[in-house]
Amino acid sequence: MTCRILVLISGSGTNLQALIDSLQAHPDKGQIVAVISNRPQALGLERARNAGLNALALDNRDYPDRESYDQALIEQIDRFRPDLVLLAGFMRILTEQFVSHYRGFLLNIHPSLLPKYKGLNTHQRVLDSGDSEHGSTVHFVTQELDGGPLILQASIQVLSDDTPASLATRVQQQEHNLYPLVMHWFIQGRLRLVDDQACLDGQAIPPAGLRLEDFNNDMREDPYAS
Ligand code: GAR
């Protein structure tokens, strides 16, 4: 059965592009059924259209409050009957109603080594703190902002001449490996949220999440080779 994937974006959509590219060889396993952006001008919508995908804008400025926007978003999303909803640079705080509606099949990618630096401006905050390591995390989305069970993290070294822009570039390069790998785990039925616990292959994922460097082989190999 093909996994029906819906991607929510707000911006340039480089993560979306990585997901599209990594599904190209496996159309029978996973299919992006739609891409929805809260910003009509998002470059990611262009990427979606170029890939022949349904690309929709649902502008949050057309709604009086968060509740009514999220309700409209749920209605749009559910038309596509997704099995998996991926937040890929979707820059909105979600209502409780939205999060509970997609519980267990809603993932987010966040540009920090969670639980450090929840929220915005993560690259600047890493520099301000003098950290030597930075990175990105994919996690299940639950009610707490950037606080759901961690799945997989990728890290980079912070260099003495780094700027927020240079960190963002290197973090995003890692994200383009990180998010597709986790997506394929979900498609394969290997990744699940059981109660409040993220599990891979039936094993509880430690609270600090797994590390991408431990899965280099998984990235090199065809995830569907038997
Ligand atoms: C990514 O770096 C992602 O981690 C971040 O936005 C960027 C989107 O880039 N997400 C967040 O900050 C969510 N809190 P993209 O549009 O090129 O994929």
Side-chain angles (χ1 to χ4, degrees):
M1 209 184 66
T2 310
C3 181
R4 299 173 62 81
I5 301 160
L6 191 139
V7 185
L8 295 177
I9 61 163
S10 300
S12 66
T14 64
N15 277 285
L16 166 67
Q17 190 67 57
L19 298 170
I20 292 171
D21 294 346
S22 105
L23 283 167
Q24 215 164 27
H26 312 287
D28 54 325
K29 307 291 182 193
Q31 187 192 349
I32 297 179
V33 290
V35 175
I36 304 179
S37 171
N38 66 309
R39 296 193 186 133
Q41 306 308 325
L43 177 61
L45 286 176
E46 203 62 37
R47 294 178 188 275
R49 285 188 203 105
N50 289 341
L53 302 176
N54 289 310
L56 283 81
L58 189 67
D59 194 334
N60 56 277
R61 292 169 303 188
D62 294 340
Y63 294 82
D65 51 37
R66 207 173 281 288
E67 281 68 27
S68 57
Y69 180 75
D70 278 11
Q71 182 54 42
L73 189 56
I74 288 174
E75 284 164 21
Q76 284 292 326
I77 293 172
D78 287 356
R79 284 173 44 216
F80 295 97
R81 296 177 287 106
D83 303 306
L84 175 63
V85 178
L86 298 176
L87 307 178
F90 188 60
M91 304 305 284
R92 294 212 23 106
I93 293 173
L94 300 164
T95 56
E96 215 174 296
Q97 185 203 4
F98 186 96
V99 171
S100 56
H101 191 78
Y102 298 107
R103 190 179 171 76
F105 59 109
L106 179 62
L107 305 183
N108 181 41
I109 190 159
H110 181 76
S112 78
L113 295 173
L114 290 172
K116 289 180 113 175
Y117 310 118
K118 297 174 180 176
L120 297 174
N121 303 319
T122 59
H123 310 302
Q124 183 64 57
R125 289 158 66 200
V126 163
L127 291 174
D128 292 346
S129 303
D131 292 4
S132 58
E133 196 188 32
H134 182 31
S136 185
T137 306
V138 177
H139 64 96
F140 279 103
V141 177
T142 56
Q143 301 301 344
E144 191 198 340
L145 178 70
D146 300 326
L150 308 190
I151 301 167
L152 188 64
Q153 297 192 316
S155 62
I156 60 162
Q157 293 306 309
V158 179
L159 308 175
S160 56
D161 58 350
D162 263 321
T163 62
S166 66
L167 284 179
T169 301
R170 292 212 308 293
V171 164
Q172 282 197 353
Q173 283 165 358
Q174 291 284 2
E175 291 186 328
H176 301 161
N177 296 320
L178 191 65
Y179 219 178
L181 181 62
V182 175
M183 173 184 69
H184 287 297
W185 285 348
F186 190 94
I187 293 174
Q188 292 168 308
R190 298 176 60 191
L191 176 67
R192 294 185 59 202
L193 185 69
V194 181
D195 300 325
D196 260 341
Q197 174 68 62
C199 295
L200 183 67
D201 298 331
Q203 303 282 327
I205 294 176
L210 300 166
R211 283 286 179 145
L212 182 64
E213 55 263 32
D214 294 330
F215 295 92
N216 282 336
N217 283 341
D218 290 40
M219 279 190 297
R220 275 193 291 268
E221 287 166 10
D222 174 352
Y224 302 97
S226 52

